[in-house]
């Protein structure tokens, strides 16, 4: 009957839509010479008009990095990365003197962001959804920030939201004070590499007592071929301040792997609160595992003040390889760290992800909710470290770690590291592994819900606790993404 | 409405239904009674297309639609609704989301636009009213933490929202309290008046006190061994299935 044909066509259309952001923009680029050397670093630093202290900092990092070896403790397998066979800087030519106003931004770039569903013109943003709160956006294209919206509105409240390259020039004292203060230069191989060659990312500064009036968001787009993206983000919130920040990421569909090595540092003072959400949708590679982004990321927040709170939420659906452990250093007494994660791996994707919670202050609390979904031939590991230092009287941690498997060829692993040096602390760990059961699927289908949609609904139900922590503006998108990422995983 | 002919089903290579003939015309209610393990739920699942229930002979038509050609979701969209004997929990998915997805999937199948948000809210409230469910339940996750009776009522709520043309109720009355039984029966009778058909599977006459069936069939040993009018149920209540089991064996 014709009705079934319709349904099949719809399903096929859905399957084709699987990675909707795989297009690339044909735009004239300004690129650093291939390979990694002091010259490359000098090139980047010059492009960014950096002061000499920044260049020195990069050189030191580079010297350290050359003495380090790539870590291989994660449960990931990939061919050796040739760090000399890549570009470390690429920027649209038209952007070489960064336009002050959107009308001067290359229309091709604006069109790219419109196609990605990210309107950069403030009026379009406002005109978009009725009653929706505006979101301020910093758009990073390969190695440069091409536009930052609502800067003026934010500045009225004293909030600084700008590309980090700009902050290095305009707010050197702040950057010098905090850059590398949470993730030291030589923290790990990838963070060290980032410190040497980072290109752009966002800088956020929330002054004392200011509740940031809108969501801040950075949108990372990798476009250039064979080019690594080295994002660097720094967020500092003074006493009693609040900010909610979201980052999104996409990349074109290409056969060759590309490297994304980011460092994100958060600092929260007394009673400050930072909510950091990520919707990671880098190109995951194809069904056979060709291409895709290698995502090696170091994200860490320091609750330096009393009662400070940092909350990480991540929805990781993209990348061929994910290596990522956003964590919190709970230094201030009564400070709180939370980590909510949904990681989805399909086809040949691999993810080794989790969190690190380090309890230093008294009565510090941490909460970890990690939901892993594996389908196809994908492999996923939750790796979490909870450490309670000797002085952290009354520290409490709760960890819940659930895995959902779709099909028989994927894997899920849980590796919790727990160290408690204080006898007055409480650490609780729960874990479960389950499958999408036939009875749930049949129940949905008997109500008319097609199988693929049913999988999406059931998985979104499984992730609900995490999805609920996302800012409302992004929750719906994230739910759609979860469903789309799993298309083709059944039957 | 529903026409089943020589319907034979096996589960894990074991023949369970050995040739069922059944004809439920528009607007009629047929009851199926029979001993435990005689194949009543198997009939429900095989009609709905559940994996593992292999129809190896016979036919099943819902109006002009050949059910056996369709995927389970398309059978549902074609108008077949199964009220489960043991409703399934779907954690993290609210009743509202679940029903909206179901309704819109069925509308999409029929080439209709998705339901408007306000219209949907109204529809849910109305349905909850008819079935006697607290509308607050709609905010909860599908069947999670519902009592046995609430789960059964919830099946009826879904029926009232989806408005199928054929409802198969697998022991919906088991576990219902007296008030619930009345409310569920009331809901069924209202839909029946709109020309919808029902296949009621039950072990008890008390449901049939509220919903008078047009026909009653006895299923034993994978066959329909007797059929009659509403009075057959009363005879069964008095005598049990001993006679049939002997003849079926
Ligand atoms: N999945 C299965 N695996 C093995 N046997 C099954 C399966 N499903 C049904 N059967 C068998 O088929 C027969 C019919 O079962 P069915 O559930 O249809 O009975 P029923 O008439 O609904 O019984 P009740 O009144 O107890 O609900 C039983 O013997 C049962 O054990
Ligand atoms: Mg049964």
């Amino acid at each position: 009957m014709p009705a079934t044909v319709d349904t099949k066509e719809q399903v096929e259309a859905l399957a084709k839509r699987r990675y909707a952001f795989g297009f690339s923009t044909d735009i004239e680029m300004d690129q650093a010479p291939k390979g990694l050397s002091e010259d490359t670093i000098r090139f980047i630093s010059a492009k960014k008009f950096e002061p000499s202290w920044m260049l020195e900092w990069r050189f030191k990092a580079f010297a350290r990095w050359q003495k380090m070896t790539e870590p291989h403790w994660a449960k990931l397998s990939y061919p050796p990365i040739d760090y000399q066979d890549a570009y470390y800087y690429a920027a649209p030519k038209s952007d070489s003197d960064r336009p002050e106003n959107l009308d001067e931004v290359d229309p091709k770039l604006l069109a790219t962001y419109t196609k990605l569903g990210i309107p950069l013109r403030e009026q379009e943003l406002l005109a978009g959804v009725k009653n929706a709160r505006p979101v301020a956006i910093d758009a990073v294209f390969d190695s440069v920030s091409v536009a930052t919206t609502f800067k003026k509105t934010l500045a009225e409240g004293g909030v600084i939201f700008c590309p980090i390259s700009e902050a290095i020039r305009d707010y050197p004292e702040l950057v010098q004070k905090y850059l590398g203060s949470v993730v030291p230069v030589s923290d790990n191989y990838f963070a060290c590499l980032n410190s040497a060659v980072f290109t752009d990312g966002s800088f956020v500064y929330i002054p004392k007592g200011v509740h940031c009036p809108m969501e801040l968001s950075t949108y990372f787009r990798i476009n250039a071929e064979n080019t690594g993206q080295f994002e660097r983000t720094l967020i500092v919130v003074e006493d009693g301040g609040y900010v909610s920040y979201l980052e999104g990421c996409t990349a074109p569909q290409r056969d060759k792997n590309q490297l994304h090595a980011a460092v994100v540092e958060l600092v929260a003072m007394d009673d400050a609160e930072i909510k950091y959400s990520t919707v990671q949708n880098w190109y995951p590679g194809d069904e056979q595992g060709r291409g895709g982004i290698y995502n090696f990321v170091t994200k860490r927040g320091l609750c330096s003040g009393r009662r400070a709170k940092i909350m990480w939420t991540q929805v990781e659906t993209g990348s061929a390889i994910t290596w990522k452990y956003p964590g919190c250093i709970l230094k201030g007494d009564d400070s709180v760290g939370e980590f909510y994660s949904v990681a989805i791996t399909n086809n040949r994707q691999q993810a080794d992800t989790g969190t690190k919670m380090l309890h230093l202050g008294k009565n510090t609390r941490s909460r970890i909710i990690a939901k892993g979904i594996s389908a196809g031939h994908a492999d996923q590991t939750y790796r979490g470290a909870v450490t309670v230092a000797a002085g952290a009287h009354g520290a409490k941690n709760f960890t819940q770690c659930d895995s959902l498997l779709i099909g028989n060829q994927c894997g899920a692993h849980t590796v919790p590291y727990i160290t408690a040096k204080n006898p007055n602390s409480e650490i609780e760990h729960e874990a479960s592994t389950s499958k999408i059961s036939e009875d749930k699927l049949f129940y949905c289908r008997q109500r008319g819900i097609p199988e693929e949609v049913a999988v999406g609904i059931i998985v979104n139900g499984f992730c609900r606790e995490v999805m609920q922590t996302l800012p409302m503006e992004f929750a719906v998108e994230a739910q759609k993404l979860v469903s789309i990422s799993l298309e083709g995983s059944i039957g | 409405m529903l026409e089943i002919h020589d319907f034979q089903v096996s589960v894990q290579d074991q023949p369970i239904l050995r040739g069922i003939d059944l004809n439920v015309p528009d607007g009629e209610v047929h009851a199926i009674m029979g001993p435990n393990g005689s194949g009543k739920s198997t009939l429900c699942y095989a009609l709905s297309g559940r994996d593992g229930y292999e129809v190896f002979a016979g036919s099943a038509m819902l109006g002009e639609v050949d059910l056996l050609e369709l995927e389970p979701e398309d059978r549902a969209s074609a108008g077949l609704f199964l009220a489960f004997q043991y409703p399934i929990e779907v954690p993290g998915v609210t009743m509202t989301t679940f029903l909206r997805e179901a309704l819109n999937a069925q509308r999409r199948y029929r080439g209709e636009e998705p339901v408007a948000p306000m219209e949907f809210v109204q529809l849910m409230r109305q349905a909850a009213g008819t079935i006697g469910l607290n509308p607050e339940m709609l905010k909860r996750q599908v069947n999670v933490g519902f009592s046995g009776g609430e789960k059964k009522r919830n099946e009826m709520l879904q029926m009232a929202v989806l408005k199928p043309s054929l409802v198969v109720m697998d022991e919906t009355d088991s576990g219902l309290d007296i008030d619930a039984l009345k409310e569920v029966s009331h809901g069924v009778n209202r839909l029946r008046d709109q020309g919808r058909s029902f296949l009621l599977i039950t072990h008890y006459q008390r449901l049939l006190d509220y919903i008078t069936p047009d026909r009653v069939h006895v299923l034993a040993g994978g066959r329909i061994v007797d059929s009659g009018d509403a009075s057959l149920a009363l005879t069964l209540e008095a005598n049990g299935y001993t006679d049939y089991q002997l003849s079926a064996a």
Side-chain angles (χ1 to χ4, degrees):
Chain A
M1 20 184 317
T4 35
V5 176
D6 279 358
T7 333
K8 276 199 192 115
E9 276 168 4
Q10 280 163 3
V11 170
E12 275 163 18
L14 277 174
K16 282 197 200 103
R17 210 184 58 198
R18 215 181 101 59
Y19 191 74
F21 309 108
F23 66 92
S24 59
T25 308
D26 190 13
I27 196 165
E28 220 185 323
M29 295 300 276
D30 185 9
Q31 226 164 12
K34 200 180 212 178
L36 181 52
S37 64
E38 287 208 353
D39 284 343
T40 315
I41 293 168
R42 211 169 275 125
F43 180 97
I44 295 171
S45 192
K47 282 284 168 198
K48 308 267 177 201
F49 306 106
E50 283 177 359
S52 58
W53 61 263
M54 196 65 248
L55 182 62
E56 288 308 312
W57 201 83
R58 289 174 179 276
F59 280 157
K60 266 189 216 151
F62 184 55
R64 291 293 287 270
W65 181 75
Q66 285 174 304
K67 294 196 196 91
M68 297 169 93
T69 45
E70 199 184 294
H72 288 283
W73 42 260
K75 203 178 169 319
L76 300 170
S77 77
Y78 53 94
I81 300 170
D82 182 353
Y83 292 91
Q84 294 306 336
D85 185 30
Y87 294 94
Y88 288 81
Y89 180 90
K93 263 226 168 82
S94 52
D95 195 68
S96 46
D97 27 33
R98 191 175 182 318
E100 269 310 297
N101 123 17
L102 270 183
D103 293 330
E104 293 166 23
V105 172
D106 190 320
K108 269 190 186 165
L109 283 175
L110 289 180
T112 302
Y113 282 90
T114 308
K115 205 165 162 187
L116 293 168
I118 325 249
L120 292 181
R121 292 181 182 278
E122 293 179 10
Q123 60 272 37
E124 280 173 28
L125 253 171
L126 288 166
V129 191
K130 236 192 246 166
N131 303 328
R133 281 182 296 159
V135 177
I137 294 174
D138 183 19
V140 177
F141 192 85
D142 290 324
S143 310
V144 289
S145 164
V146 293
T148 310
T149 63
F150 292 106
K151 273 169 82 173
K152 284 205 187 81
T153 320
L154 289 167
E156 283 160 20
V159 171
I160 303 171
F161 178 44
C162 68
I164 191 127
S165 49
E166 204 175 302
I168 290 166
R169 296 190 299 264
D170 298 350
Y171 311 101
E173 322 75 44
L174 283 173
V175 175
Q176 266 182 300
K177 184 166 174 194
Y178 294 110
L179 194 72
S181 71
V182 188
V183 178
V185 166
S186 54
D187 184 79
N188 67 72
Y189 187 79
F190 297 106
C192 194
L193 173 64
N194 175 288
S195 302
V197 300
F198 74 85
T199 41
D200 232 330
S202 300
F203 175 70
V204 176
Y205 179 78
I206 310 286
K208 207 166 172 174
V210 172
H211 186 110
C212 186
M214 54 179 100
E215 296 283 339
L216 304 185
S217 172
T218 303
Y219 194 87
F220 293 92
R221 173 73 176 170
I222 295 180
N223 185 64
E225 205 158 354
N226 202 12
T227 302
Q229 192 181 55
F230 301 91
E231 143 200 10
R232 185 95 196 187
T233 288
L234 174 61
I235 300 179
V236 178
V237 180
E238 298 284 5
D239 292 355
Y242 168 88
V243 69
S244 168
Y245 174 94
L246 182 127
E247 62 167 354
C249 343
T250 60
Q253 203 153 335
R254 297 194 201 283
D255 291 343
K256 213 174 159 199
N257 299 104
Q258 276 175 285
L259 184 63
H260 173 88
V263 172
V264 173
E265 297 175 280
L266 314 181
V267 182
M269 309 300 183
D270 285 356
D271 298 295
E273 185 174 344
I274 303 175
K275 203 172 153 173
Y276 191 105
S277 317
T278 305
V279 176
Q280 188 262 105
N281 187 22
W282 295 119
Y283 176 55
D286 67 9
E287 285 79 357
Q288 277 74 45
R290 278 179 306 231
I293 302 291
Y294 287 175
N295 193 33
F296 294 97
V297 172
T298 306
K299 291 184 170 176
R300 199 171 298 149
L302 171 65
C303 284
S304 88
R306 302 186 52 149
R307 296 171 301 275
K309 182 175 176 185
I310 289 178
M311 178 170 152
W312 296 101
T313 297
Q314 59 173 26
V315 177
E316 305 278 319
T317 63
S319 296
I321 288 182
T322 300
W323 181 98
K324 183 181 174 192
Y325 317 90
C328 296
I329 301 170
L330 303 171
K331 188 170 159 229
D333 290 347
D334 301 295
S335 61
V336 178
E338 293 180 357
F339 174 74
Y340 296 92
S341 169
V342 167
I344 297 183
T345 44
N346 195 2
N347 297 317
R348 305 268 169 183
Q349 282 177 277
Q350 305 174 59
D352 192 301
T353 183
T355 182
K356 281 188 194 174
M357 293 289 178
L358 175 58
H359 292 256
L360 299 175
K362 295 189 185 69
N363 300 315
T364 45
R365 279 163 294 144
S366 64
R367 181 177 166 81
I368 300 168
I369 309 285
K371 306 275 181 178
I373 299 114
S374 238
H377 291 83
D379 210 15
Q380 194 174 122
T381 301
Y382 167 82
R383 194 180 299 276
V386 176
T387 309
V388 177
H393 298 288
K396 272 190 192 154
N397 159 265
F398 174 76
T399 301
Q400 188 183 322
C401 190
D402 300 315
S403 309
L404 187 68
L405 301 176
I406 302 175
N408 301 319
Q409 279 157 320
C410 54
H413 319 271
T414 303
V415 189
Y417 305 88
I418 296 168
T419 315
K421 296 198 179 125
N422 185 298
N424 290 319
S425 58
E426 274 175 45
I427 295 176
E428 219 182 311
H429 181 98
E430 289 175 9
S432 76
T433 302
S434 55
K435 295 205 147 219
I436 286 205
S437 59
E438 183 274 333
D439 57 356
K440 285 191 187 66
L441 269 180
F442 176 64
Y443 192 63
C444 294
R445 295 178 80 187
Q446 209 303 305
R447 297 307 184 242
I449 302 171
E451 191 167 26
E452 296 240 313
V453 181
V455 170
I457 294 173
I458 293 168
V459 171
N460 269 308
F462 173 77
C463 307
R464 179 183 165 90
E465 216 179 327
V466 174
M467 294 301 206
Q468 278 178 325
T469 66
L470 280 176
M472 207 172 46
E473 291 85 345
F474 302 101
V476 177
E477 279 309 306
Q479 282 178 6
K480 280 192 209 146
L481 192 56
V482 165
S483 306
I484 289 171
S485 310
L486 287 167
E487 269 163 21
S489 64
I490 279 249
Chain B
M1 173 49 53
L2 177 69
E3 268 192 75
I4 306 176
H5 181 63
D6 189 29
F7 198 60
Q8 299 185 39
V9 176
S10 64
V11 179
Q12 290 178 343
D13 292 327
Q14 290 281 323
I16 307 289
L17 298 182
R18 297 157 188 274
I20 305 265
D21 289 278
L22 197 63
N23 185 0
V24 187
D26 286 353
E28 288 202 0
V29 173
H30 287 210
I32 296 189
M33 305 184 81
N36 294 131
S38 57
K40 302 182 299 294
S41 294
T42 302
L43 176 62
C44 301
Y45 293 141
L47 282 178
S48 337
R50 188 167 190 167
D51 279 346
Y53 291 79
E54 200 209 337
V55 180
F56 60 93
S59 64
M61 301 290 293
L62 182 66
E64 298 293 300
V65 177
D66 183 349
L67 287 177
L68 304 185
E69 293 260 290
L70 301 184
E71 292 293 315
E73 51 269 38
D74 296 343
R75 296 186 195 196
S77 296
L80 171 70
F81 181 92
L82 170 61
F84 283 57
Q85 183 173 4
Y86 305 108
I88 310 294
E89 298 183 5
V90 192
V93 180
T94 61
M95 280 301 303
T96 314
T97 303
F98 183 74
L99 268 173
R100 195 193 309 109
E101 291 285 348
L103 185 63
N104 283 336
Q106 297 204 6
R107 290 173 74 120
R108 204 160 39 238
Y109 183 87
R110 294 193 293 261
E112 296 165 18
E113 290 293 303
V115 62
M118 280 318 290
E119 188 191 337
F120 180 65
V121 170
Q122 288 247 301
L123 211 62
M124 300 250 295
R125 286 226 183 92
Q126 237 170 34
T130 320
I131 300 303
L133 251 180
N134 184 345
E136 283 298 300
M137 300 279 286
L138 298 169
K139 293 183 189 152
R140 287 174 56 180
Q141 302 172 22
V142 179
N143 290 322
V144 175
F146 285 25
S147 75
E150 285 169 345
K151 283 184 182 169
K152 295 300 184 72
R153 286 198 199 212
N154 186 22
E155 295 291 286
M156 292 294 99
L157 170 91
Q158 295 174 45
M159 172 193 76
V161 171
L162 296 173
K163 300 205 171 61
S165 49
L166 174 74
V167 183
V168 180
M169 289 168 55
D170 194 359
E171 297 194 28
T172 303
D173 53 329
S174 312
L176 287 184
D177 66 38
I178 296 163
D179 292 336
L181 193 68
K182 280 188 197 160
E183 277 155 352
V184 164
S185 308
H186 176 66
V188 169
N189 287 329
R190 279 184 35 163
L191 286 181
R192 176 191 201 171
D193 293 340
Q194 298 168 17
R196 298 166 204 280
S197 311
F198 287 82
L199 202 55
L200 293 186
I201 291 165
T202 182
H203 286 297
Y204 307 106
Q205 170 60 35
R206 49 168 212 167
L207 176 69
L208 306 180
D209 289 342
Y210 297 107
I211 308 168
T212 315
D214 296 289
R215 301 284 293 164
V216 175
H217 310 278
V218 181
L219 181 65
R223 288 195 177 87
I224 292 193
V225 293
D226 200 1
S227 297
D229 61 17
S231 66
L232 178 57
L234 294 166
T235 321
L236 290 173
E237 184 105 313
N239 300 348
Y241 299 110
T242 358
D243 302 347
Y244 299 117
Q245 268 166 328
L246 285 176
S247 66

